[in-house]
Amino acid sequence: MDSQPAVENRKRVMMFDRKNYDDETLLSLYKAILLPRMIEEKMLLLLRKGKISKWFSGIGQEAISVGLTMALEKDEYILPMHRNLGVFTVRGLPLDRLFKQLQGKFNGFSKGRERSFHFGTNDYHIVGMISHLGPQLGIADGIGLASLLKKEKKVTAVFSGDGGTSEGDFHEAMNVAAVWNLPVIFVIENNAYGLSTPVNEQYKCEDLADKGIGYGMESLQIDGNNILGVYDTIMTYAESIRNEPRPLLLECKTFRMRGHEEASGTKYVPKELFEEWGKKDPVSNYESYLIEENILDEKKVESIRNEFKNEIDKALDATFEEPEVTAHTEDELNDVYVPYEQKIINPKTDKKTNKRLIDAISDGLRQSMERYDDLVIMGQDIAEYGGVFKITENFYKEFGKERIRNTPICESAIVGAALGLSVKGIKSVVEMQFADFVTSGFNQVVNNLAKIHYRWGQNADVVVRMPCGAGVGAGPFHSQSNEAWFFHTPGLKIFYPSNPYDAKGLISAAVEDPNPVLFFEHKALYRSISEDIPDDYYTVDSSSAGYVSRGDDVTIVTYGMGVHWAKNVLKNNPDISADLIDLRILLPWDKKTVEESVTKTGKVIILHEDTLTGGIGAEIAAHISEHCFKLLDAPVMRSASLDTPVPFAAALEENFFQKDVFERKLKELVNF
Ligand SMILES: Cc1ncc(C[n+]2csc(CCOP(=O)(O)OP(=O)(O)O)c2C)c(N)n1
């Protein structure tokens, strides 16, 4: 550790304006800012003794977390970052539970699964960060949107560091909040460094507050070390925003008085800066001010300190007394998804209409909108334009533009916003214009939607619709089958219907499911297949695969377009007697049905449109080889598209699919 000047300047250099705030308020602010400081001082001691592992210090920045949290109402959401201990202490989280969280104990807030402040708690209206910093901001948009939709007159506040403002997520979240007039306060804690990077290497504009102008939102810069200033600013703006919803960008100038984290040192920070900012210490300046105002005296300071010291020591004792967490595999696996037992809903009448796959999805979505009167659909061009595939055509007339929301081209912020809606108990469907574009929201899907339930028990009640697949001459970026990217991520569900009946029943089932579902829709099937499907609302079993045909010689496991390719090959080869299994649900996939069939046939081939290497077929093949080895009469085979990007020209695209290879391999397998 580098040596740093102590922060114990009793001389006051900061000016305070108490306005009309009474003594009691001023004193409560003092207590609120002192507690996190004392906790941190204790933590730093423990760190040196090796009793705790890592610490991101907020010393010198406490006025921001504390002033803001004190000013907001208790049920207004705050989305803090890694230096915002004050948010947690002001919200009144029991200290022993908070310390247990910081120490990875079971009785913290994440059963030992998360580090330090990477957790949330709806009891205290806090949504914690993930390591990636920026994705927080989009979630705040969703919570703000929920407040608007519920007409709640509430403000949401979200934090970013100066470093975090360089992320695309910052831009997207600000833009969405501005366009939608969301009641969100974006707080930048500008503490001069992002890890070792000084602000002049982070951004080019004069002040970060200036960025607000570009987004068309109000913005201002304040002294982040002045607790009264922060408190008063938030009090004033929060009240105004509650009544006239709109975003605010608030840049709080402050300084990071310690290293990025304790082990990383501060060699790169000029000593003079510590001296300069040490004088502006937010706790000692405010304490001196209150003493001058006769609201505090040395005796009272001592008694408050003693009280806090006892509280902290007691909570730490309880924390260290709790044994280290023990692992129970079943409990770990059980918390990946929010517990949910699907109740399959049958159509009320026998009435049926012939529908194409695209109409079936549209039908299921419309009826889901009727069934869940707060369900929101978000996507690019989905309102008046009806979406590029017209799946939501005219929806806005029936359900309004509040619930059928056109979005800016901000995939990350919108998936984040969907998670924010879920925090507030609102279901949502996000339409990716093309499944390919999910890459721009990838982080939110695999790190936020997928992991949040396991991390701290919050579900992500979100469906992401994924128009996918090739065969439409659309080239490498409008044709991909990218289900395998998500198949590897615990916490997600993947539905992939191959026919109109399943498509309607599964989109409805996806909306019913409180877990995050990626819903794949093959574009080339949208208008090429149709069948009679129920007019009424219904859901399809979302835990099992389906048999398309039954036979004895061989098992074909496939899904999506593969089902149609396989059907065609079997039609042309009536002598092959095959169990054709349509997986329908790729994650978690139905092992039982596949194993049952392989037990009968002893031969299996897995077929998919996605490319071969690392595809879903690889996992299924590995599973069968491991668990059904003794039942097999031939090697497990796979057939998939070429390991290349999807080409544009028709002849190349057709070759990419390698359909003839499937037919050849199938025959080889049957004759093995
Ligand atoms: C996407 C991403 N890139 C890099 C990092 C590594 N990292 C963690 S914190 C940090 C600096 C953040 O700086 P800033 O946003 O200013 O917040 P501060 O730590 O100063 O409070 C970096 C680079 C990360 N967590 N996430």
Side-chain angles (χ1 to χ4, degrees), residues 170 174 186 188 208-209 212 217-220 248-251:
F170 178 82
M174 298 268 289
F186 294 92
I188 304 172
L208 283 170
M217 70 167 71
E218 271 168 89
S219 61
L220 68 152
L248 171 73
L249 176 61
L250 182 66
E251 180 186 4

Side-chain angles (χ1 to χ4, degrees), residues 230-241:
V230 175
Y231 178 74
D232 182 56
T233 305
I234 300 288
M235 285 292 274
T236 310
Y237 274 91
E239 191 49 23
S240 165
I241 291 170

Side-chain angles (χ1 to χ4, degrees), residues 56-57 61 81-84 118 129-135 160-167 169 188-197 199 202 256 259-261 443:
F56 291 90
S57 173
Q61 305 183 200
M81 301 301 290
H82 46 291
R83 298 188 203 285
N84 300 127
H118 292 210
M129 66 186 290
I130 63 168
S131 294
H132 301 64
L133 315 165
S160 169
D162 42 277
T165 65
S166 301
E167 292 191 56
D169 275 308
I188 304 172
E189 288 184 295
N190 189 344
N191 64 7
Y193 286 88
L195 215 155
S196 74
T197 306
V199 288
Q202 194 70 249
R256 200 190 67 205
H260 170 65
E261 47 93 19
N443 194 24

Side-chain angles (χ1 to χ4, degrees), residues 404-470:
I404 306 297
R405 297 190 84 84
N406 277 341
T407 71
I409 307 172
C410 293
E411 283 81 2
S412 185
I414 298 305
V415 177
L419 181 53
L421 288 175
S422 184
V423 168
K424 293 279 287 174
I426 296 178
K427 287 178 177 291
S428 63
V429 174
V430 176
E431 174 175 304
M432 287 293 146
Q433 201 155 66
F434 287 82
D436 308 69
F437 303 144
V438 75
T439 40
S440 296
F442 193 72
N443 194 24
Q444 295 283 22
V445 175
V446 302
N447 284 325
N448 256 332
L449 297 188
K451 297 180 175 50
I452 197 164
H453 186 265
Y454 174 79
R455 293 171 55 237
W456 57 273
Q458 169 64 53
N459 70 312
D461 200 347
V462 179
V463 178
V464 182
R465 288 190 35 238
M466 303 276 282
C468 65

